[in-house]
Amino acid sequence: MYPYVRLLKEILNARRAPKLGLLDTHVSRHVCWPWDIDPWMELNNGRTLTLFDLGRVPLGIRTGLDKVVLKHRWGMAIAGNSTRYRKRVTAFQRVTMRSRCVGWDARFLYIEQSMWRGEECTSQMLCRSAFTSRQGMIPPARVVEAMGLAQESPALPDWVQHWIAADATRPWPPDAR
């Protein structure tokens, strides 16, 4: 089941927290509960992706992105991601999540998120987010402008550009064999 109660808590905390710039980092703390673990007694890989929602949504609130999206009746969708799992997180362990926008291109906003246990990174995800309307996709530059920011994207880090280029070589639709 989706963690709606946890999401509500994060939303309420984000509304009370200081505003962030579009490229600033949102930091949140989470607990790996027994219902987050898999048969190997560690944080389930799919649940990790769900928990990353608990960082992205507050990031959007603290940057003011949520208000612009709601005002224009736009949607936001994850259009792709790549995740690295490096260290186990077991039941009742606490993690600190860091979520930040690293930039955008003509089609997508790129968000990097990581979970940390102390000084050790347990997982990291890069995702691209698309803004949508009934007319189709909205260029991120238009969204940034609607936020009242006269800001161009910083240069995307090399590793992000390489991921974009590699993903572009992937066939779509996939071979159905």
Side-chain angles (χ1 to χ4, degrees), residues 137-173:
M137 286 179 57
I138 307 295
R142 182 170 166 211
V143 176
V144 171
E145 182 182 314
M147 292 174 72
L149 303 173
Q151 185 172 352
E152 290 188 25
S153 175
L156 291 170
D158 286 344
W159 65 275
V160 174
Q161 292 181 44
H162 292 304
W163 176 73
I164 294 166
D167 197 61
T169 67
R170 195 164 149 190
W172 192 263

Side-chain angles (χ1 to χ4, degrees), residues 88-163:
R88 295 180 77 202
V89 176
T90 57
F92 304 108
Q93 285 187 327
R94 297 179 183 277
V95 293
T96 300
M97 185 185 302
R98 296 184 178 115
S99 307
R100 68 186 181 104
C101 171
V102 294
W104 55 93
D105 61 18
R107 298 180 66 205
F108 303 110
L109 184 83
Y110 296 91
I111 300 171
E112 186 260 337
Q113 294 182 272
S114 55
M115 287 189 201
W116 298 77
R117 205 177 54 239
E119 298 297 315
E120 201 167 43
C121 185
T122 65
S123 60
Q124 179 210 33
M125 179 181 66
L126 172 67
C127 69
R128 62 177 171 228
S129 186
F131 298 94
T132 60
S133 73
R134 290 184 181 184
Q135 291 74 41
M137 286 179 57
I138 307 295
R142 182 170 166 211
V143 176
V144 171
E145 182 182 314
M147 292 174 72
L149 303 173
Q151 185 172 352
E152 290 188 25
S153 175
L156 291 170
D158 286 344
W159 65 275
V160 174
Q161 292 181 44
H162 292 304
W163 176 73

Side-chain angles (χ1 to χ4, degrees), residues 40-114:
W40 293 271
M41 306 304 288
E42 63 188 38
L43 180 58
N44 177 275
N45 62 312
R47 189 58 151 197
T48 299
L49 297 178
T50 299
L51 293 180
F52 277 133
D53 287 350
L54 303 182
R56 276 192 315 279
V57 171
L59 175 67
I61 291 169
R62 292 186 66 196
T63 60
L65 183 60
D66 65 323
K67 289 184 176 131
V68 169
V69 168
L70 287 171
K71 176 182 174 185
H72 293 281
R73 295 183 175 193
W74 293 333
M76 276 185 76
I78 296 298
N81 69 62
S82 176
T83 307
R84 282 185 169 175
Y85 303 93
R86 290 297 184 260
K87 298 291 179 183
R88 295 180 77 202
V89 176
T90 57
F92 304 108
Q93 285 187 327
R94 297 179 183 277
V95 293
T96 300
M97 185 185 302
R98 296 184 178 115
S99 307
R100 68 186 181 104
C101 171
V102 294
W104 55 93
D105 61 18
R107 298 180 66 205
F108 303 110
L109 184 83
Y110 296 91
I111 300 171
E112 186 260 337
Q113 294 182 272
S114 55

